[in-house]
Amino acid sequence: MDNELLKVLDIHSFYGNIEALKGISLHVKSKEIITLIGSNGAGKTTTLYTITGIIRPRKGEILFQGERINQYPAHKIVKRGIALVPEGRKIFSRLTVLENLELGAFTRKGREKIKRDIEGVFELFPRLRERKNQIAGTLSGGEQQMLAIGRAMMTRPVLLLLDEPSMGLAPVVVEAIFDTIKDINQKGTTVMFVEQNAWMAFKIANRGYVIQSGSIVMEDKIENLRENEMIKKAYLGG
């Protein structure tokens, strides 16, 4: 497919001697929203860490915009256009909201463009503008998730990866976060996210992958996954 942005081909990733990913293959097309669902320990986070260079695969390759990137260090992959919003937010809790956003642009030059992009984050999340001088660790969970997404957007990603964006958040906040993810996508950023809340994932994704024990066991359009009996039973409470 000529509009494929990311190709993950037969990736094997390890923690020490433990094989966490056992030949993962997937693809992400430009401008789509992909979700990766699976139970705890299935390999979802490891997949994101391998794509972003935090973990180096022992076998297989990763192509981004046609270029092999799995030999690159994580900071170079950020520069190439892939940003990760990690599980648990991992904001700089002792710094202000504004300082966190500025650190998100650490690989970039050009103060004026960075200022404009900070303004863009504040338009995306007006609450962050109100709290721009507040210490990030004192924000609510939902506000911290907004900040984590905003910090990732400061890298100007072509592909935004999110790890469990709904974790620990109240349902009304989850709705708002997912609406924003959809908005980011509609403005041109491709999105891939890991999520245990399959109901919410299926609301915004175009396609989904199901991972079990380090292997992809299913891939389909969301409407087909939603009707699949195994998916209903395992992930949708049906």
Side-chain angles (χ1 to χ4, degrees):
M1 301 171 201
D2 56 7
N3 67 339
E4 277 183 355
L5 184 68
L6 177 77
K7 282 185 186 178
V8 175
L9 303 168
D10 192 30
I11 286 294
H12 295 253
S13 292
F14 288 73
Y15 292 103
N17 292 321
I18 298 167
E19 188 174 18
L21 298 183
K22 303 167 183 174
I24 290 276
S25 293
L26 57 84
H27 68 275
V28 181
K29 291 185 280 187
S30 182
K31 308 291 170 65
E32 71 178 344
I33 303 180
I34 295 294
T35 188
L36 180 63
I37 64 170
S39 58
N40 275 335
K44 304 185 301 295
T45 295
T46 307
T47 300
L48 298 188
Y49 279 7
T50 304
I51 291 168
T52 51
I54 297 168
I55 293 172
R56 286 278 182 93
R58 289 193 195 171
K59 184 184 171 189
E61 65 177 2
I62 300 167
L63 302 174
F64 181 63
Q65 294 178 319
E67 180 183 1
R68 186 170 177 269
I69 62 166
N70 48 282
Q71 78 279 19
Y72 290 162
H75 71 273
K76 190 167 181 183
I77 291 173
V78 171
K79 276 189 172 182
R80 286 287 290 110
I82 302 178
L84 172 66
V85 180
E87 181 184 337
R89 276 79 84 173
K90 295 185 173 65
I91 56 164
F92 300 104
S93 60
R94 295 184 181 183
L95 301 181
T96 66
V97 166
L98 187 58
E99 287 166 339
N100 268 268
L101 295 178
E102 287 170 341
L103 276 172
F106 80 100
T107 61
R108 296 174 49 197
K109 293 176 182 173
R111 292 302 306 168
E112 286 310 309
K113 284 183 180 177
I114 290 169
K115 274 184 183 177
R116 281 201 299 272
D117 287 348
I118 288 172
E119 192 58 35
V121 170
F122 288 154
E123 285 172 15
L124 204 59
F125 299 112
R127 209 176 300 178
L128 294 183
R129 186 196 302 277
E130 297 165 16
R131 288 157 172 69
K132 68 179 181 180
N133 296 315
Q134 189 169 324
I135 298 299
T138 66
L139 299 174
S140 70
E143 289 162 351
Q144 289 186 18
Q145 186 62 282
M146 293 172 195
L147 180 56
I149 295 171
R151 183 182 60 188
M153 292 305 293
M154 288 301 298
T155 70
R156 289 196 164 186
V158 178
L159 173 62
L160 179 66
L161 306 178
L162 302 105
D163 194 355
E164 301 283 5
S166 76
M167 182 177 280
L169 302 181
V172 66
V173 180
V174 172
E175 290 274 359
I177 293 292
F178 274 77
D179 284 345
T180 304
I181 293 168
K182 200 170 180 181
D183 186 34
I184 288 168
N185 174 253
Q186 287 170 346
K187 288 176 179 171
T189 304
T190 305
V191 175
M192 177 177 173
F193 69 99
V194 155
E195 184 54 66
Q196 280 200 304
N197 185 341
W199 278 111
M200 286 306 302
F202 286 7
K203 272 188 173 183
I204 67 166
N206 309 118
R207 281 191 304 118
Y209 288 88
V210 182
I211 185 169
Q212 287 179 1
S213 304
S215 300
I216 299 290
V217 295
M218 198 178 299
E219 179 264 326
D220 212 332
K221 292 178 181 176
I222 286 302
E223 52 265 35
N224 295 336
L225 289 177
R226 200 182 282 123
E227 296 305 315
N228 182 283
E229 290 304 321
M230 187 276 275
I231 297 294
K232 282 182 183 178
K233 196 172 290 186
Y235 301 106
L236 301 176

